[in-house]
Amino acid sequence: MINSGSRHSTVNHSRHHYVYFNAHFDLDDMEMREQLGSSPYRTITREEAASSKLPRYIGVIESLLQRGLLHDQIIETSEVKEIGFSLTNRIYLQTHVLLIIAEMLSFPPKSKSDNAIPNAISNYMTDIAHAIEERLVKSLNTDISIADISSEFHLSRYQCSKIFSQVYGLSPRQYLSRLKLNRAKEMLVT
């Protein structure tokens, strides 16, 4: 599991093609988001994974993917093949992704070296980004600017946006737009 803002890549050293499952997710639950954002990076060994519930959950996802390849809509681009899941399959998929996240968070950290990754986001940056997020949420119904928020934290507007973007993967303005859109959706439903 890779925290938001951590640069990463996938490399295939084999001459054969490979298939992998990649789940990007956004959580509205602030407590879960904070826990995930502050969890240290760690590698889970094959032995540790085998003695957990991960193989069962991953098996369900693999089965959903295979079923999706057979029955759901396939979206193909030049080198990538994506599955357009039915609503029911998307719900099952999201459920099992959350179960995998919960299981991964249950593993205790091993050592300090497990937490060291290049370009890692520091605790300071995470704390600042969470504080900015909290301020954005509180001022959702007001006309606050990013410049106002950055001055509250004694940061330049550039620093404020850069730190927030590194942690959350989008700018404070984009995040605020998403919050407003989600609020509007809730209001339309209720």
Side-chain angles (χ1 to χ4, degrees):
M1 193 159 47
I2 302 168
N3 285 337
S4 177
S6 298
R7 294 199 180 275
H8 60 281
S9 62
T10 304
V11 178
N12 178 16
H13 293 290
S14 169
R15 281 185 257 142
H16 304 287
H17 292 287
Y18 67 104
V19 175
Y20 66 96
F21 177 73
N22 187 6
H24 290 255
F25 55 92
D26 185 19
L27 297 170
D28 291 330
D29 185 307
M30 296 303 169
E31 189 177 338
M32 284 173 49
R33 185 181 293 175
E34 234 176 86
Q35 168 126 18
L36 287 172
S38 64
S39 295
Y41 173 84
R42 139 173 230 279
T43 302
I44 297 170
T45 66
R46 181 184 307 246
E47 294 77 24
E48 290 173 313
S51 65
S52 72
K53 296 175 186 170
L54 288 174
R56 182 174 7 140
Y57 299 150
I58 291 171
V60 170
I61 288 177
E62 286 174 344
S63 148
L64 284 168
L65 291 172
Q66 289 171 356
R67 194 175 341 151
L69 286 170
L70 296 175
H71 303 294
D72 289 333
Q73 178 186 359
I74 305 288
I75 303 161
E76 247 181 286
T77 58
S78 60
E79 293 184 24
V80 178
K81 186 184 284 189
E82 295 181 16
I83 302 169
F85 284 111
S86 68
L87 177 62
T88 304
N89 284 341
R90 281 198 318 261
I91 292 169
Y92 284 134
L93 183 63
Q94 288 180 9
T95 300
H96 282 82
V97 166
L98 288 173
L99 288 168
I100 287 171
I101 293 167
E103 188 69 15
M104 290 174 77
L105 287 173
S106 72
F107 287 98
K110 283 172 107 177
S111 67
K112 294 275 187 206
S113 63
D114 276 348
N115 299 339
I117 56 172
N119 300 322
I121 297 169
S122 70
N123 288 338
Y124 167 76
M125 290 171 64
T126 303
D127 289 345
I128 292 290
H130 288 315
I132 294 168
E133 177 194 30
E134 191 174 304
R135 186 66 176 92
L136 289 168
V137 171
K138 283 182 181 174
S139 62
L140 189 57
N141 296 325
T142 63
D143 229 8
I144 194 158
S145 71
I146 304 307
D148 295 335
I149 293 173
S150 60
S151 68
E152 286 177 29
F153 293 103
H154 308 290
L155 298 168
S156 70
R157 185 166 185 228
Y158 171 79
Q159 287 174 307
C160 180
S161 292
K162 182 179 178 185
I163 289 171
F164 192 88
S165 296
Q166 283 181 312
V167 174
Y168 286 100
L170 63 161
S171 73
R173 176 68 47 215
Q174 291 169 320
Y175 184 82
L176 187 58
S177 293
R178 278 193 186 177
L179 284 177
K180 288 180 179 181
L181 182 62
N182 287 339
R183 177 70 53 92
K185 287 178 186 177
E186 287 174 22
M187 292 171 72
L188 285 171
V189 169
T190 58

